[in-house]
Amino acid sequence: MEHKLKTTPIFFADAACGAKTFEIRKNDRNFQVGDFLRLEEYDPSTKKYTGDWVLVTVSYTINLYGIPDLPNGFIGMVIEKV
């Protein structure tokens, strides 16, 4: 499965160069190991996509229930640039 995800410039740059190896998201898409995430750069100041994107794969997931200050329903994912 491939998921298209809006990503702000600072997080996008880190994922694109391979420095960001994790993703924390609301698990509203039933993310699974083996899924692909198409991280699409989105600039909130212009409210537009830049056209840049990077493809990563999910190699590990963990449900983040009970983490202080984080609502239930979030997932942590280890990602690897494709």
Side-chain angles (χ1 to χ4, degrees), residues 4 11 19 23 25 30 45 49 56 61 64 71 80:
K4 293 181 181 180
F11 296 126
E23 192 71 26
R25 295 279 179 152
N30 193 29
S45 65
Y49 288 92
V56 300
T61 64
L64 300 176
E80 299 172 8

Side-chain angles (χ1 to χ4, degrees), residues 45-58:
S45 65
T46 62
K47 297 183 179 171
K48 293 183 180 180
Y49 288 92
T50 67
D52 291 336
W53 58 273
V54 63
L55 190 65
V56 300
T57 186
V58 177

Side-chain angles (χ1 to χ4, degrees), residues 9-80:
I10 191 165
F11 296 126
F12 176 82
D14 288 345
C17 75
K20 185 174 184 280
T21 58
F22 68 94
E23 192 71 26
I24 297 173
R25 295 279 179 152
K26 183 172 184 165
N27 194 11
D28 56 355
R29 299 172 189 227
N30 193 29
F31 296 108
Q32 300 289 319
V33 170
D35 285 356
F36 292 95
L37 308 180
R38 181 180 163 127
L39 304 178
E40 299 183 344
E41 186 176 32
Y42 177 83
D43 186 343
S45 65
T46 62
K47 297 183 179 171
K48 293 183 180 180
Y49 288 92
T50 67
D52 291 336
W53 58 273
V54 63
L55 190 65
V56 300
T57 186
V58 177
S59 61
Y60 178 81
T61 64
I62 186 168
N63 288 317
L64 300 176
Y65 295 110
I67 304 294
D69 300 322
L70 189 64
N72 285 335
F74 277 73
I75 189 169
M77 296 175 276
V78 174
I79 58 172
E80 299 172 8

